[in-house]
């Protein structure tokens, strides 16, 4: 699973990467990627200050 990332909204603050319990989000400078080990827990979507993440249904 992965979360949907709105790359227009993301400001690369890194808040989501540190809150993810399975370290599925990886931020490399200005590129945020979500790896397949995501368990769709939703923690990152709540932590994102700009609402850039969405759990895929
Ligand atoms: S939904 Fe949960 S497991 Fe998936 S990237 Fe966000 S915090 Fe990590
Ligand atoms: S918390 Fe939101 S704004 Fe910050 S890096 Fe993650 S997706 Fe981007």
């Amino acid at each position: 699973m992965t979360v949907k990332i709105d790359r227009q909204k993301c400001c690369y603050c890194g808040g989501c990467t540190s809150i993810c319990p399975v370290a599925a989000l990886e931020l490399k400078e200005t590129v945020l990627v979500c790896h397949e080990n995501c368990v769709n827990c939703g923690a990152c979507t709540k932590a994102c200050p700009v609402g850039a993440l969405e759990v895929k249904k």
Side-chain angles (χ1 to χ4, degrees), residues 3-42:
V3 290
K4 189 176 167 203
I5 302 166
D6 186 333
R7 296 179 199 284
Q8 302 295 320
K9 287 184 183 173
C10 178
C11 58
Y12 319 112
C13 70
C16 57
T17 62
S18 55
I19 207 157
C20 178
V22 295
L25 290 161
E26 185 180 5
L27 183 62
K28 289 181 190 164
E29 295 181 6
T30 58
V31 181
L32 179 69
V33 290
C34 185
H35 297 289
E36 287 294 332
N37 62 323
C38 165
V39 293
N40 278 15
C41 71

